[in-house]
Every structure is written in structure tokens, then in C-alpha cells.
Amino acid sequence: MKAFKNIILTLCCCVAGLDSAAQALSADTAYQKILELTRQTAQRYAPDKRTAIFELHYTDTISHRYRIVTTEPKAGEYFNQLLVKNRIPDAKVTINLLPDSSVAGNIAGIVNLSVANLRVEPSNQAELASQVLLGTPVDLLQEQDGYYRVRTPEGYIAWLSTSSVSPRSEPELTRWLSAKKVIVTGDFGHAYTMPDEQSLRVSDLVMGNILISGTQADGFVHVQYPDRRNAYIKEELVRPFDEWLGAVNPTAENILKTAKTMMGLPYLWGGTSVKGVDCSGFTKMAYFMNGIIIPRDASQQVLAGHVVDILSADTLAIEKALQNLRPADLLFFASGKGRGPDARVTHVALYLGNGEFIHSAGTVRINSMLPDAVNYDDFQTRTLIAARRYIGQPDYALQPIARHRAYTLPTDKSTE
């Protein structure tokens, strides 16, 4: 009898094991189907994860529970339609639309470090995706593990440490935008606890930083940070923001003048400040300091502006390039030689004229596309595949700061 009971127990365990395996297999099949629907939806509504999110989070295979995180309302609607159409049984999918409740009603944050690092994941060890400057408002989308997922003024989505940003409700953001501010126009500087360069420093400052301004005395401006620290800055380092904004003129001469002030800066992957720049961070900064917000990465920048013809039979035609290019046009490169015009863009530069260009490659430097030029050397390692003109081009991707909601109120005269 005991042996018979052991046989029954063994059979029951086998059946239980088969049931568990069947459940896991069923869950995995459902997961694979949902994963494919996620890919379809992302391809349609969020093809570039740098600017739009549609993510599947696999939470519980046994109970068939899944979570979608997205910034796109229409993507969620489309995905639900696909679920119904494909009749995936028992799948319980929750769609978490960003911004979500984790940001507690704070629609924006103001960066409170001279240069804050944006990362691809909410971790200090994660890859540096980009940077954002002091005084820049960012959309708060989600809080997780001591990080905010944010959207920058140019639409770039990444993770920013909560210690780098001061959250703002809508009324608080309006007060920030309405406040009198200054922008740092010098390369580097410092803020002090007193109107005295011998007093304790509050922080470093870099070109493009924005702070609330107060009284001026003895060659200093009293300023306030987004996190409400108070400090004093030398007058020659800054300019009233509204005055600067009204005077910026994005001509080729001005853009290249700004670019040349960054000569010799070190290359930094993800860098967008005078502490270090990557190739597209360099072009972005040159245009920003002349009043224009452009896309973040080279592969995004090549999609904007007016096409400048520099190719013949899919190959760079030097004579044509010299004839058609104008100063401050953007040049786009692929790595290696012999690449076609549809190759992946990996590098960008600003055209100076006479075959020369300025770019961030090791350092910010000037090279030439002309084989007999002494500074031709770097050109040999790349293939020039495209050129774009931004100046004077009506393009949604090229946004004047004076009309951007991150820097001015809709009722401002500057936005009319």
C-alpha cells in the first residue's frame, strides 16, 4: 500500500510539473505575441526612442501580466486595438502613460547644476546620453531609483538624477518663466556667496547657464538658482536674458564665431557644454548660443534643414561642394571610406568656407576636405555623405528659443 501511495504521489508531482511547464509555455507564447505587437506599435508611433517611448515591461509570466510604458497616447490606443484583433487570451496589459503619478503633479524641473548629465538608464553607471545646462526647464515624465526620466527642450528623452533638478508645478514653472533672468555668455566662471571673488564659491558656471537675476552692485549681479541658492556673479560674465534673446542673430558669421570660441575643447561622448562636447553637442551649442534649438544627435540633425547638393554618383564632388556650400552649413559623415549616401551618419561638422570645417574630434579643431591642405589628415578617416543648411530654413525641428515654451511664456511678445 505504501508503494502504491508513492506511485500516486509521483504521478501527481509529474502532472503538477507538466501543468507548471504548460503555464510557463503559454505565458511565454503570449509574451512573444505581445512583444511583436509592441514592436509594431513602436515602429509606427515611437520609431526613435530618443524622442518617443513605447516599452514593454515583462512583469508576471504566470498570471500573464504585462506593463507598457509610453509617452504616446495614440500608441496606447493602437496597441489595445492590436490586442483585440490578435485575440491574445488572458493577457492583462496595463498601459502607463507618461508623465505618470510618480512625478506627483510636477510637470517640469529646472536644472540646478552648471552641467547635468543625462543617462540612458536610471543609474550612475549608465552611458552618458547627453547633458543639459543650469536653468534649463525639462519635462518630468517619470521618477525611478533616484532619477527622473525627462524630456529636454529639443525633445531628447533620458534619465537625470533627482539631485540635478528642482521640480516645478505648473504655477511654479510660470513664475520661473516670468522672472527676470541672466544668461552666462562668458566661457567659464564662478558664483560667490558674497560680491567678492575672495568669498566662498557657490558653484562653477558655463556658457548658456540661466539664473534668476536681482540687484547689481560693485560689478556683481545678485542671482538665484532654481533650488533657491543665492549667489553673486561678475557682471561681465552674464547678460540680461531678455536683452540677449532680443539681440541674438543666427547669421553664419555669428554661429561660426561662437564655434571658434570652443576651439581646443576636449571631445566628450554625450557632452554639450564647454566642459567637453561630442560632435553634435558642439554644433548644437553653436546654434543655441545664437538663439536656435536644433536636434541633439548627428543622425537627427541630418533630417532637418535644406539639402545641399555635394554628391555626384553618390560620391563627394569637391568642385560641386565648394560651389554649393555656405558657411555654417552642417556636414555629415559616415565612418570609413566608400560608404553610400544612405550610410549611417556618425559625425557632424560646421562648414567654414574654402573647403574647411570645424568639428569636435578628439578636440574641437579645423580640418579641410581638400587633399593638398595641411589639415586634410582627419578627412581621410571619414566619408562625407550629406550637407544641410539651417540658416533661414523654416523647419519645425529648428526652434527659435524666443518662441519655445521652455524659455518663454505663450503670452510674451517674443512669442507672438
Side-chain angles (χ1 to χ4, degrees), residues 58-97:
Y58 191 28
T59 57
D60 190 336
T61 59
I62 301 301
S63 60
H64 300 195
R65 294 184 182 276
Y66 310 91
R67 184 166 64 97
I68 296 288
V69 176
T70 183
T71 54
E72 311 303 306
K74 290 185 178 180
E77 296 170 8
Y78 179 74
F79 182 81
N80 281 330
Q81 292 171 6
L82 290 180
L83 281 179
V84 173
K85 181 179 179 180
N86 286 269
R87 300 176 183 174
I88 299 176
D90 302 324
K92 302 176 183 66
V93 181
T94 301
I95 295 181
N96 183 19
L97 182 63

Side-chain angles (χ1 to χ4, degrees), residues 28 36 50 55-56 62 64 192 194 323 350 385 398:
D28 186 65
E36 177 56 33
R50 294 168 295 184
E55 299 172 342
L56 172 63
I62 301 301
H64 300 195
Y192 303 92
M194 300 293 291
Q323 180 179 354
L350 285 172
I385 60 172
L398 310 175

Side-chain angles (χ1 to χ4, degrees), residues 116-120 125-131 268-271 278:
N117 293 326
L118 289 163
R119 301 194 179 276
V120 296
Q125 289 74 42
E127 177 186 336
L128 183 64
S130 188
Q131 293 177 322
L268 174 65
W269 176 270
D278 62 20

Side-chain angles (χ1 to χ4, degrees), residues 190-204 220 225 229-233:
H190 293 93
Y192 303 92
T193 54
M194 300 293 291
D196 179 355
E197 290 182 272
Q198 302 306 311
S199 65
L200 192 66
R201 291 176 178 176
V202 176
S203 82
D204 69 313
F220 283 83
Y225 286 70
R229 284 174 293 165
N230 289 282
Y232 294 87
I233 303 175

Side-chain angles (χ1 to χ4, degrees), residues 132-374:
V132 64
L133 302 180
L134 171 67
T136 302
V138 293
D139 298 331
L140 299 185
L141 303 177
Q142 185 181 15
E143 185 177 1
Q144 179 182 319
D145 301 329
Y147 275 76
Y148 283 118
R149 178 177 263 172
V150 303
R151 182 189 289 113
T152 67
E154 65 270 18
Y156 207 84
I157 297 173
W159 294 91
L160 181 64
S161 171
T162 55
S163 62
S164 302
V165 64
S166 294
R168 290 288 194 277
S169 64
E170 188 168 1
E172 291 170 335
L173 176 62
T174 299
R175 284 196 288 273
W176 169 268
L177 294 175
S178 303
K180 183 180 177 182
K181 294 184 283 292
V182 291
I183 182 170
V184 176
T185 53
D187 292 345
F188 297 94
H190 293 93
Y192 303 92
T193 54
M194 300 293 291
D196 179 355
E197 290 182 272
Q198 302 306 311
S199 65
L200 192 66
R201 291 176 178 176
V202 176
S203 82
D204 69 313
L205 297 167
V206 300
M207 182 170 65
N209 286 173
I210 299 172
L211 303 102
I212 291 177
S213 64
T215 58
Q216 294 176 260
D218 301 323
F220 283 83
V221 180
H222 177 254
V223 297
Q224 187 178 78
Y225 286 70
D227 57 7
R228 296 178 176 82
R229 284 174 293 165
N230 289 282
Y232 294 87
I233 303 175
K234 292 286 288 182
E235 282 185 18
E236 67 258 23
L237 185 64
V238 299
R239 190 172 178 184
F241 182 71
D242 289 343
E243 177 186 300
W244 172 82
L245 199 57
V248 287
N249 184 16
T251 63
E253 180 182 3
N254 289 338
I255 290 165
L256 294 178
K257 181 179 179 181
T258 300
K260 289 175 181 177
T261 67
M262 292 184 271
M263 281 288 291
L265 289 184
Y267 179 92
L268 174 65
W269 176 270
T272 64
S273 79
V274 292
K275 291 185 178 182
V277 287
D278 62 20
C279 62
S280 54
F282 166 68
T283 55
K284 176 183 180 296
M285 197 63 189
Y287 271 85
F288 178 83
M289 289 307 296
N290 287 279
I292 303 293
I293 298 170
I294 71 173
R296 169 62 183 94
D297 290 343
S299 59
Q300 297 169 315
Q301 292 176 4
V302 74
L303 302 177
H306 173 72
V307 175
V308 180
D309 185 13
I310 60 171
L311 305 178
S312 290
D314 294 342
T315 303
L316 173 65
I318 295 290
E319 298 272 338
K320 181 186 285 187
L322 292 175
Q323 180 179 354
N324 292 344
L325 286 170
R326 298 178 188 169
D329 285 348
L330 278 74
L331 306 178
F332 296 94
F333 302 78
S335 297
K337 304 299 292 181
R339 302 297 183 91
D342 58 347
R344 186 173 69 90
V345 168
T346 59
H347 190 64
V348 61
L350 285 172
Y351 187 65
L352 292 171
N354 300 317
E356 288 192 321
F357 54 92
I358 183 170
H359 61 144
S360 179
T363 62
V364 175
R365 55 192 173 120
I366 294 173
N367 285 107
S368 175
M369 65 176 68
L370 304 179
D372 58 349
V374 294

